[in-house]
Amino acid sequence: MGKVLIFGNAKGGVGKSTSATALSSILADRGFRTLLIDCDTQCNSTDTYRADSEGAATVYDVLLDENRIDICEAIQHTECGDILAGDSLLRQADDKLKNSVDGLYRMADALENCTGYDYIVIDTAPAMNSILHNCLIAADEVIIPVTADRYALQGLSQLFETIRAIRRRQNPDLKIAGLLLTKYNDRTNLSKEVRNSIDKVAAEIGTKVFGTVIRECVKVKEAQAIKETLIRYAPKCTAAEDYVRFTDELIGNVPVEH
Ligand SMILES: Nc1ncnc2c1ncn2[C@@H]1O[C@H](COP(=O)(O)OP(=O)(O)OP(=O)(O)O)[C@@H](O)[C@H]1O
Ligand SMILES: [Mg+2]
């Protein structure tokens, strides 16, 4: 199985979906066999990939449906790359999973059958729910997007506690790849104080802040509005450049080996 990377932060609107779709599409463009999984009921990543979350099999059918289907049968092959679509029915996940002995391991089990990918990138919802727990148990690394502002760290302690608990019991190798500063605006430069506190929190949890910062860029919203990946819509814009550099920083600027 390939490396499983998840974007997580229970805070809404910090750039999880933008970052997940950017990373997965850059990896696919580089020739890596890449699967994007959308675990959010809002289906933003699914929309960006122009995949189908209603008429086709989705992450719900793989993780929660009574007649669960094999993940390989549910993957959609789009122009942007392979995706397991999100589903608004994921809202039922907490109720459905809580009485099940394997309720926390559905994603890990599904991914076991998912050989043949170099990278699996998972976008998650702005929530601390059982689907996030499933993802953290199945993941190799978590990337935590944070907006570059005074409230960047709000709510993160609960995520760190959850990660610690999951490391203790279910997934000892789970790594926090780093905090990724998003929507960064030079003109309203981060005060030294805020930057220091973000660095300090990263150090406290044994991780780093990525050196690459994703700049605020109007093309991100434009791309989203017309359901395009940022890299296809505006490959030369500042945020696209930043995501390419972020990808290099995350995996190294390495050629594909197949
Ligand atoms: N670098 C950027 N520059 C400008 N706008 C951005 C940037 N990154 C994200 N945005 C915008 O911010 C909003 C939130 O981004 P996104 O949907 O990626 O966040 P999210 O964490 O996935 O949100 P949610 O928690 O609701 O799933 C979107 O409207 C998106 O277009
Ligand atoms: Mg999102």
Side-chain angles (χ1 to χ4, degrees):
M1 191 172 76
K3 199 167 218 185
V4 181
L5 305 168
I6 93 165
F7 285 89
N9 187 341
K11 194 167 167 195
V14 295
K16 293 180 289 295
S17 302
T18 303
S19 304
T21 51
L23 175 66
S24 62
S25 59
I26 291 168
L27 289 171
D29 283 350
R30 289 187 185 180
F32 291 105
R33 293 165 299 199
T34 307
L35 172 66
L36 175 63
I37 301 182
D38 186 355
C39 283
D40 190 357
T41 52
Q42 302 174 98
C43 302
N44 294 150
S45 292
T46 306
D47 283 345
T48 296
Y49 265 47
R50 296 189 186 170
D52 189 357
S53 63
E54 282 174 7
T58 67
V59 66
Y60 177 87
D61 302 282
V62 173
L63 301 185
L64 295 163
D65 196 55
E66 268 155 41
N67 307 307
R68 272 180 271 157
I69 62 170
D70 189 289
I71 187 168
C72 303
E73 290 171 33
I75 291 169
Q76 298 178 45
H77 309 280
T78 76
E79 275 183 25
C80 304
D82 286 6
I83 181 168
L84 177 60
D87 196 321
S88 57
L89 289 174
L90 279 185
R91 239 176 260 122
Q92 305 168 6
D94 282 331
D95 282 344
K96 284 201 172 244
L97 294 176
K98 73 174 177 229
N99 295 321
S100 159
V101 271
D102 70 347
L104 287 173
Y105 298 93
R106 300 277 178 96
M107 180 64 85
D109 288 351
L111 293 185
E112 258 185 31
N113 298 332
C114 199
T115 52
Y117 286 104
D118 300 308
Y119 290 99
I120 296 169
V121 177
I122 308 184
D123 180 22
T124 63
M128 296 294 301
N129 58 21
S130 55
I131 291 290
L132 181 70
H133 296 159
N134 262 268
C135 293
L136 290 169
I137 288 170
D140 293 296
E141 298 185 12
V142 195
I143 300 152
I144 305 173
V146 293
T147 44
D149 59 51
R150 182 161 293 283
Y151 305 106
L153 302 170
Q154 222 171 35
L156 277 187
S157 54
Q158 207 193 345
L159 176 63
F160 299 150
E161 261 168 45
T162 304
I163 290 172
R164 250 180 247 129
I166 283 175
R167 272 196 196 130
R168 226 175 9 247
R169 301 193 189 279
Q170 293 103 343
N171 185 2
D173 298 327
L174 179 62
K175 193 176 146 203
I176 302 177
L179 306 187
L180 175 64
L181 284 171
T182 60
K183 303 197 205 178
Y184 184 75
N185 184 335
D186 264 341
R187 276 162 301 167
T188 55
N189 216 335
L190 268 188
S191 71
K192 264 216 176 82
E193 201 187 317
V194 176
R195 179 69 209 224
N196 284 344
S197 60
I198 294 173
D199 284 340
K200 195 162 145 242
V201 161
E204 275 165 16
I205 54 159
T207 188
K208 61 170 183 186
V209 180
F210 284 102
T212 311
V213 167
I214 312 298
R215 283 167 285 183
E216 187 170 53
C217 168
V218 36
K219 300 285 181 200
V220 174
K221 277 205 167 72
E222 288 176 15
Q224 205 176 33
I226 60 156
K227 300 187 177 181
E228 277 274 20
T229 64
L230 179 66
I231 308 304
R232 275 176 170 241
Y233 175 71
K236 299 221 159 67
C237 74
T238 52
E241 270 175 19
D242 296 338
Y243 277 116
V244 168
R245 264 190 290 125
F246 162 67
T247 307
D248 290 340
E249 190 179 348
L250 182 71
I251 68 157
N253 191 353
V254 287
V256 181
E257 282 177 40
H258 286 145

